[in-house]
Every structure is written in C-alpha cells, then in structure tokens.
C-alpha cells in the first residue's frame, strides 16, 4: 500500500510538472501575435495569459473526462501496474515537450501526452488497453480537421478585415484599432487554452486515482483539489513564457500585422472553445499555427515561410509516435522490474533518466538563451499595411476613384490649355501692337529724315553766291 501511494504521488508530481511544461510550451498560442504586433508588452502578455489560463481551468471538465474515462480502458488494467505506466507515459510526453521547446517548434503537448500514455499502455498491457475508437474520433480527427478549420476561418476573417479597411492600403500601418481588438482576442485564446489543456493534466491525475482505487471508476469528474493544482501549474508555466516558440509563431511563419493577429486569435479562440464544449482533446498549438498560416495567406502580398511550416508539420507527425516510443521504453523498465520482482526499481530508473534528460536539455538551452528581451527583436515594425505588387489589379472601388481622378485631371488640363491659348493670343496681340508701333515710329522717323534732308538741301542752295551778269564791252 505504501508503494502504491508513493507511485501515485510521483505520478501526480510528474503530471503537474507536465502541466507546467505545457504552460510555457503553449504560451505562444495566445500571446505570440499580440507581442509581434506590439499590442502587448512581452511580460504583460504572459502575465495576462497566466491569469486567464488559471480562470479557464475552472470553466469546463469535458476534456478531462475524455482522458480519464475514454481513451484508456483503465477498468481492464491492474491497479497495481497502471500508475507506473502512467508515470512512464508522462516521461515520454515531458521529454518531447522539452525537446521541441529547445528547437522552438510549436508541437502539440496534448498529442505528446496521448502518445506517451498510449505507448506505455501498449507495452504494459497490450493493444486491448486502448480504445482506438475514442483515439480516432476525439484525438486523430480533431488533429486533422482543427488546424484546417482554424486556417480557413482566419483566412476569411483576414480578407474581410483588409477589405473593410482598404483605405489604408499602401500606407504605413494605420490599422491600430485591431491592436486593441487583439488584447481581447488573445485574452479569449488564453481563457480557451485553460479550458482545454489544463484539463488534460486533471484527466491524467484522475486516471491515476481511479487506477489506485482512490476514486470511483463510475465518476470521472476531477476532484476540486486536482482542478486547483492543475490550474496553478499551467498558470505558472504560462507566466514563465516559452520565448523560443513565441518567436517562431510571432515572426517565423509570417510577418504578422494587427489585422492578421486579430483574425488569427479570433479563429483560434472559436475553434478551441467549440472543441472544449464537445470534449475534443485537440492541440491548441496546431489550431494556433493553422490560424497564423491562414491569416498570412489572407493578407495580399504577405509571405508565408513554407520551410518553417514544413518543419512544424514534421514535428506534428512525429509527436505521437516519438512520445509513444519514449513512453514505451520507460514502460519496458517498469514491466521488467515488476517481472523481476524488483518493485519500484524501474520507476526509480525512469525518474533518474528523465531528470538527466530534462536538465541536459535545459542546460543546452542556456547556450543561446531566448528571453523577453530578444524573442521579438522586430516588434511593431509594421512597415506597410499591405505589401502591394508592382502592378496590382485595381479593385472596383479603386477603379471608381481612378476614373474620378482622371476626369478631374482632364478638366484641369483643359482649363490649363485654354488659359495657355488665351495667354498666347494676348501675347501675339501685344507683339503685333509692338511691331505696328515700331513700324509707325520708323515711318515717322523716315519722314522726318526726308524733311531734314530737303531742308538742308534748300539751305545749301540758298547759301550759294549768285553768279554776276557779264556786261557788253564798248
């Protein structure tokens, strides 16, 4: 009994640590875009997200029921072995979370948890311990549909946002009103994240309590202390801030503008809240990433960095099998120690190995530390509201504006031409008058010269002495 109690205590402690890693791993889902656009300061953003994650954890328990009473057939597994298998599954989930955090990949903490639990259960009990119908309907299908749905919604909302505010096209980003909207939508995403992801840890702890016989298998509702502890753990992790992943989502996928951020967060929040209500344990990271990609495609002239998208998708594909493989290896040690009669030795070895891996990854991250001061070196450098093509096709409104502008310019040109012609006529008249005046003056001068010449000639003639008359000689 003491051994079982110790294992359950270890499971609870490790589950809460997973919840902590989930918090800082998924902070980017809500706060990467408002930090990227300058709507919120980095520290204020993570503090707001932490508070709302805490509140959101109390709003719904449907996802917790999916984990504690659906995916794993705990009623068919021995209560003595199952808590140890949960411990092994958590090791797989935490290891994958820490590795993808180091690489700055926004992978799914939820799928890491599911993969670890599935891998450990298969090794410890076999395929019959998994209800694959639940896995497909409430894990795999949402994983495929949710990012696509969120991306389509974000694409449509972004198109609408830029159509409504088209007057700012080609100008320095004047859509500052969307920054205020981002504060509301990012808060809604953080609240939705609390309603979905915190409950996964509640479900794991409840699963361990049921397996140990400390809670009735007929009631899968998490106990109040479980809700409080899981909410506090994810809120603390959120406040720490996963700055590496914030950098990837904030500027690694596309250059996010305020209207884009508003559209992406609206889509993310709507998708997560709907899934929480239906009990779908989807990945909030995949939803947020799909929304950012959709908003990037929706902004005309925006560039989506498909190489980064490819890396993230590879991480998504590897999450379930990779976490499952680590969980299975950890479960092998548990099964081996149980079969060899060594009791908790396998659990102890798993714990030591997990501690070494976690510390190793953390120390490696310190070599190139990413923090609030350098995660977003390009915050709020919005540039142009819409990156216009060299010769973009004009919209209907732009065509009307251009036609009116051409009509006005034609009228101005006509007036200028008329004024120019009038000026030319006036100048020609002035020139003709000047020429006539010059001709008159020349004619008068000629007459005067002729008069002076005649007068001078007559004077000369008058001045000549008259010849004397010759008389007759006697």
């Amino acid at each position: 009994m003491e051994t079982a109690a110790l294992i359950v205590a270890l499971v609870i402690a490790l589950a809460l640590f997973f919840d902590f890693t989930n918090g800082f791993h998924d902070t980017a889902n809500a706060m990467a875009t408002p930090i990227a656009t300058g709507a919120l300061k980095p520290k204020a953003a993570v503090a707001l997200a932490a508070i709302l994650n805490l509140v959101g954890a109390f709003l719904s328990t449907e996802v917790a029921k999916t984990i504690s009473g659906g995916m794993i057939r705990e009623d068919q597994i021995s209560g003595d072995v199952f808590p140890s298998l949960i411990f092994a599954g958590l090791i797989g989930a935490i290891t994958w979370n820490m590795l993808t955090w180091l690489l700055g990949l926004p992978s799914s903490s939820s799928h890491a948890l599911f993969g670890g639990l599935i891998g450990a259960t298969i090794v410890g009990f076999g395929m019959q311990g998994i209800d694959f119908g639940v896995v497909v309907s409430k894990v795999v299908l949402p994983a495929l549909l949710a990012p696509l749905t969120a991306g389509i919604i974000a694409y449509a909302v972004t198109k609408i946002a830029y159509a409504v505010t088209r007057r700012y096209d080609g100008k320095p980003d004047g859509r500052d009103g969307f920054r205020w909207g981002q504060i509301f939508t990012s808060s809604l995403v953080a609240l939705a994240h609390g309603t979905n992801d915190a409950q996964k840890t509640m479900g794991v702890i409840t699963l361990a309590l049921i397996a140990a016989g400390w809670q009735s298998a007929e009631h899968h509702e998490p106990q109040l202390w479980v809700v409080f502890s899981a909410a506090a753990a994810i809120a603390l992790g959120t406040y720490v801030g996963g700055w590496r992943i914030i950098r990837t989502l904030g500027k690694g996928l596309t250059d996010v503008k305020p209207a884009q951020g508003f559209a992406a967060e609206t889509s993310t929040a709507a998708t997560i809240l709907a899934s929480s209500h239906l009990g779908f344990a989807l990945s909030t990271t995949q939803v947020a990433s799909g929304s950012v990609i959709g908003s990037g495609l929706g902004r005309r002239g925006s560039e989506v960095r498909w190489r980064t998208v490819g890396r993230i998708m590879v991480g998504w594909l590897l999450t379930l099998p990779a976490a499952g493989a680590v969980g299975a290896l950890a479960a092998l040690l548990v099964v081996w120690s149980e079969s060899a009669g060594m009791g908790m030795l396998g659990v102890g070895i798993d714990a030591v190995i997990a501690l070494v891996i976690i510390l190793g990854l953390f120390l490696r991250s310190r070599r190139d530390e990413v923090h609030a001061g350098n995660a977003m070196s390009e915050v709020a450098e919005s540039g142009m509201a819409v990156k216009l093509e060299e010769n973009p096709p004009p919209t209907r409104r732009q065509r009307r504006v251009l036609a009116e502008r051409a009509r006005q310019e034609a009228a101005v040109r006509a007036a200028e031409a008329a004024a120019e012609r009038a000026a030319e006529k006036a100048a020609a008249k002035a020139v003709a008058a000047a020429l006539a005046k010059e001709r008159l003056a020349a004619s008068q001068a000629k007459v005067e010269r002729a008069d002076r010449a005649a007068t001078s000639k007559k004077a000369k003639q008058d001045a000549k002495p008259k010849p004397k008359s010759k008389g007759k000689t006697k």
Side-chain angles (χ1 to χ4, degrees):
M1 185 64 182
E2 292 181 358
T3 301
L6 180 58
I7 293 177
V8 171
L10 287 174
V11 168
I12 293 172
L14 196 63
L16 292 176
F17 181 73
F18 167 78
D19 208 20
F20 174 80
T21 66
N22 191 357
F24 71 73
H25 199 278
D26 289 2
T27 307
N29 298 344
M31 294 303 167
T33 53
I35 292 174
T37 62
L40 287 170
K41 298 295 183 183
K43 285 293 186 180
V46 296
L48 179 62
I51 294 170
L52 292 171
N53 266 280
L54 180 67
V55 174
F58 293 92
L59 298 182
S60 173
T61 57
E62 292 300 320
V63 176
K65 294 176 187 177
T66 297
I67 296 172
S68 62
M71 188 173 65
I72 307 294
R73 295 192 177 104
E74 69 277 1
D75 55 338
Q76 300 181 17
I77 304 175
S78 171
D80 296 333
V81 177
F82 194 40
S84 300
L85 297 180
I86 296 175
F87 185 84
L90 286 169
I91 289 176
I94 292 172
T95 301
W96 185 254
N97 261 6
M98 294 295 293
L99 178 61
T100 52
W101 164 74
L102 177 65
L103 297 175
L105 291 178
S107 69
S108 170
S109 299
S110 307
H111 289 179
L113 176 61
F114 301 147
L117 290 175
I118 291 171
T121 302
I122 290 174
V123 168
F125 188 71
M127 301 290 286
Q128 64 272 23
I130 306 297
D131 189 339
F132 285 100
V134 174
V135 172
V136 171
S137 64
K138 292 203 170 185
V139 177
V140 176
L141 286 180
L144 297 175
L145 296 178
L148 180 62
T149 302
I152 292 172
I153 295 172
Y155 174 86
V157 175
T158 303
K159 283 289 188 184
I160 293 171
Y162 278 98
V164 171
T165 58
R166 190 175 293 278
R167 64 184 178 276
Y168 291 111
D169 286 1
K171 298 179 181 179
D173 203 330
R175 295 175 169 88
D176 289 335
F178 284 109
R179 287 192 171 96
W180 292 101
Q182 277 189 279
I183 297 175
F184 171 76
T185 53
S186 61
S187 299
L188 195 60
V189 172
L191 188 70
H193 183 267
T195 66
N196 195 283
D197 278 44
Q199 295 178 56
K200 294 161 189 173
T201 300
M202 298 178 202
V204 170
I205 295 175
T206 303
L207 195 62
L209 295 176
I210 293 172
W214 295 1
Q215 182 171 329
S216 171
E218 297 178 357
H219 300 90
H220 299 285
E221 189 80 19
Q223 299 178 31
L224 186 59
W225 70 268
V226 174
V227 176
F228 270 101
S229 58
I234 198 169
L236 181 60
T238 302
Y239 183 71
V240 170
W243 299 108
R244 293 173 180 273
I245 300 174
I246 287 175
R247 180 168 61 182
T248 299
L249 273 183
K251 66 178 184 179
L253 291 173
T254 185
D255 294 325
V256 181
K257 309 298 183 191
Q260 279 178 269
F262 176 82
E265 290 147 16
T266 301
S267 171
T268 301
T271 306
I272 295 173
L273 288 173
S275 68
S276 296
H277 177 71
L278 297 173
F280 291 152
L282 54 74
S283 166
T284 56
T285 303
Q286 291 182 356
V287 173
S289 301
S291 296
V292 172
I293 294 170
S295 70
L297 293 173
R299 181 169 68 87
R300 183 161 49 96
S302 176
E303 177 185 359
V304 175
R305 299 179 181 92
W306 292 108
R307 185 173 181 180
T308 303
V309 173
R311 288 177 59 234
I312 292 173
M313 288 187 174
V314 169
W316 290 356
L317 293 174
L318 292 178
T319 297
L320 270 172
V326 177
L329 291 174
L332 277 176
L333 287 174
V334 172
V335 172
W336 167 77
S337 65
E338 290 286 343
S339 62
M342 298 181 181
M344 289 184 58
L345 179 61
V347 174
I349 295 174
D350 281 344
V352 172
I353 293 174
L355 183 62
V356 170
I357 292 174
I358 291 169
L359 287 177
L361 292 173
F362 176 75
L363 292 174
R364 171 62 183 82
S365 71
R366 307 299 288 180
R367 296 183 185 177
D368 53 343
E369 184 179 5
V370 180
H371 48 77
N374 63 5
M376 288 289 178
S377 57
E378 298 174 3
V379 169
E381 292 183 7
S382 299
M384 305 299 284
V386 176
K387 183 179 178 182
L388 298 176
E389 302 172 9
E390 291 184 2
N391 295 300
T395 63
R396 185 180 302 174
R397 179 176 178 275
Q398 287 174 331
R399 286 196 295 270
R400 289 199 302 269
V401 171
L402 290 173
E404 179 63 21
R405 187 179 300 168
R407 187 188 65 78
Q408 293 175 356
E409 290 177 353
V412 170
R413 285 196 298 269
E416 290 177 349
E420 186 176 351
R421 286 195 298 271
E424 289 177 353
K425 288 181 180 179
K429 288 181 180 179
V431 169
L435 290 175
K437 188 176 180 180
E438 288 179 0
R439 286 196 294 269
L440 179 61
S443 176
Q444 290 176 349
K446 186 176 181 182
V447 171
E448 290 176 356
R449 286 196 300 274
D451 290 343
R452 285 196 298 272
T455 303
S456 176
K457 183 176 180 182
K458 184 178 180 181
K460 287 181 180 179
Q461 289 176 354
D462 292 343
K464 287 182 179 180
K466 293 181 179 180
K468 296 179 179 181
S469 299
K470 294 181 178 181
K472 292 181 181 181
T473 306
K474 292 182 179 181

